[in-house]
Amino acid sequence: MKEKTVGILGGMGPEATLDCFAKIIKNTPAKKDQDHLRVIIDSNPKIPDRPAAIIGKGESPVPALVQGCRCLQLAGADFIIIPCVTAHFFLEEIRQQVRLPILSILDVVTETIVREYPQITTVGLLAITVTISSGLFQKRLAADNIQTVVPDETGQSTVMAAVADIKKTQPARARAQMTTDLIATAEGLISRGARGIVAGCTEIPLALKPEHLSVPYFDALTILARAAVFEAGLKPLT
């Protein structure tokens, strides 16, 4: 079977896009350059702010997202992934205007939990406030009978501060401090019954790693990268 070309609609944010590409490479069974997948990346940080649009206080990002998808198609992509959770709020609207298939980060995370950890029926969600308030991840998880625990007000403020600092090229504090804060928030969710933690923002895995937690950690970006490798026609490395 002919391998498919991966299209990454990125830039939201740029480091998460870089991390996504790196995870595709690390999950590809390759012994030489030619064994790797062809990946086309459109990294456009100028796409209008998704959270602002979701709450009705900003320009819709849909035209720019659709344009990016069409550019990827013209460049030769066979399907598209979007390493940004909030962009998925607009996914169905984008799909209506784009010919190429778009993998959903919400679907692949939920499917991974159901397939690999069927005993987990409650997860903790670390995500930015608009993702939580919109119910974007919770609704998809609930469709497969997975309940979601979210941070309290203090914990959510901690997550927002960490994500904001991760996005900065010159933050006022070390990334290790952001990691400490995210661990504390995750542990709070675990104490409230979460049997796994979902990194529901693609910046969070840049600071929070599986070894930091005592329960399974569902890094949405790693899961999306593995799904892309599979969709392209290869078996992802374990």
Side-chain angles (χ1 to χ4, degrees), residues 7-216:
I8 301 179
L9 183 60
M12 306 167 279
E15 190 175 358
T17 300
L18 178 65
D19 190 35
C20 182
F21 183 33
K23 286 170 175 173
I24 288 174
I25 294 170
K26 289 179 181 178
N27 281 279
T28 300
K31 294 182 179 179
K32 59 183 185 299
D33 289 349
Q34 291 75 18
D35 292 336
H36 282 279
L37 295 166
R38 184 182 180 201
V39 178
I40 301 169
I41 302 172
D42 183 346
S43 182
N44 182 9
K46 308 304 182 185
I47 292 173
D49 187 71
R50 283 69 58 202
I54 290 171
I55 63 174
K57 294 186 177 180
E59 176 187 354
S60 172
V62 171
L65 291 167
V66 169
Q67 181 184 29
C69 289
R70 289 173 177 168
C71 287
L72 288 169
Q73 180 177 349
L74 287 171
D78 292 305
F79 68 94
I80 294 169
I81 60 172
I82 308 174
C84 169
V85 172
T86 53
H88 285 70
F89 185 88
F90 309 95
L91 184 58
E92 292 311 313
E93 192 175 351
I94 298 166
R95 281 174 168 167
Q96 291 172 10
Q97 302 178 60
V98 174
R99 293 181 182 177
L100 293 185
I102 304 174
L103 300 188
S104 164
I105 200 169
L106 310 176
D107 287 343
V108 297
V109 169
T110 304
E111 290 162 4
T112 295
I113 297 172
V114 171
R115 182 178 64 253
E116 299 182 8
Y117 294 88
Q119 74 279 13
I120 293 180
T121 57
T122 303
V123 295
L125 177 62
L126 296 178
I128 65 171
T129 300
V130 72
T131 298
I132 290 176
S133 63
S134 70
L136 195 60
F137 245 118
Q138 298 97 304
K139 292 172 186 175
R140 180 61 187 88
L141 290 162
D144 275 286
N145 301 311
I146 301 171
Q147 297 181 325
T148 307
V149 181
V150 300
D152 59 19
E153 187 175 346
T154 300
Q156 189 58 33
S157 295
T158 298
V159 172
M160 290 296 288
V163 171
D165 282 344
I166 290 168
K167 283 180 174 287
K168 297 173 183 175
T169 53
Q170 294 182 309
R173 57 177 176 153
R175 186 157 288 186
Q177 294 175 291
M178 306 167 207
T179 300
T180 298
D181 284 352
L182 290 170
I183 291 171
T185 306
E187 288 177 344
L189 298 177
I190 294 167
S191 71
R192 291 167 49 205
R195 294 296 174 260
I197 297 294
V198 173
C201 170
T202 52
E203 268 73 37
I204 287 175
L206 296 169
L208 186 66
K209 308 297 181 184
E211 59 267 25
H212 295 142
L213 301 176
S214 60
V215 298

